[in-house]
Amino acid sequence: MLNFLWEFIKRNIFAIVLVVTLLVAMPWLGYIIAVPLIFMVVLGAMVSWRLYKLQSRMRDEANRQRQQYGGGATRGGSRKEGEVTIVRTEPTEQKVNDNVGEYVDFKEVEDEERNG
């Protein structure tokens, strides 16, 4: 966490110098500004650190799953890179009971209005 705090200080050096200057020049005004600013800096560093840890944990979990399930393309790593395998499945016949549904005979009827 100290590393994140140090990185924040390096990125926001102007704000840190301003706060220190206010603390030295006008302590009463400096404390009014410095206390909330320091609170926000520490809170921001803590949130940044937690997000980094969460991102790291998710990346590690994704890598573990990728290794466990073989990285997707190689399916367990048994095939060499670039090797192509075609797997065909036998088509299944659909069997329908003869008693299902009913058949309707229809006959086309010419429309007299159309021809007329």
Side-chain angles (χ1 to χ4, degrees):
M1 185 165 149
L2 291 176
N3 188 27
F4 283 104
L5 190 57
W6 176 246
E7 290 296 322
F8 181 83
I9 291 171
K10 285 187 343 188
R11 284 191 310 260
N12 300 299
I13 192 70
F14 179 73
I16 302 300
V17 168
L18 179 67
V19 168
V20 170
T21 303
L22 284 173
L23 286 173
V24 171
M26 297 180 282
W28 59 273
L29 180 62
Y31 288 121
I32 293 173
I33 295 173
V35 169
L37 189 59
I38 290 172
F39 177 74
M40 288 188 301
V41 166
V42 170
L43 185 65
M46 288 173 46
V47 167
S48 178
W49 180 71
R50 291 290 292 164
L51 287 174
Y52 172 77
K53 293 301 264 181
L54 180 65
Q55 179 185 13
S56 177
R57 191 177 318 134
M58 290 176 74
R59 182 177 46 248
D60 292 344
E61 179 69 18
N63 288 336
R64 186 187 64 77
Q65 286 181 359
R66 190 175 301 119
Q67 288 173 355
Q68 180 180 0
Y69 295 112
T74 60
R75 299 223 185 229
S78 61
R79 289 185 263 159
K80 296 178 183 176
E81 185 176 345
E83 182 179 333
V84 178
T85 304
I86 299 174
V87 178
R88 295 181 186 214
T89 58
E90 295 296 322
T92 58
E93 291 184 27
Q94 292 183 341
K95 296 183 179 179
V96 179
N97 190 350
D98 291 335
N99 298 329
V100 175
E102 61 183 70
Y103 292 96
V104 178
D105 290 332
F106 69 94
K107 182 167 123 180
E108 271 190 48
V109 178
E110 300 255 343
D111 213 7
E112 293 180 17
E113 295 175 3
R114 279 181 160 177
N115 296 336

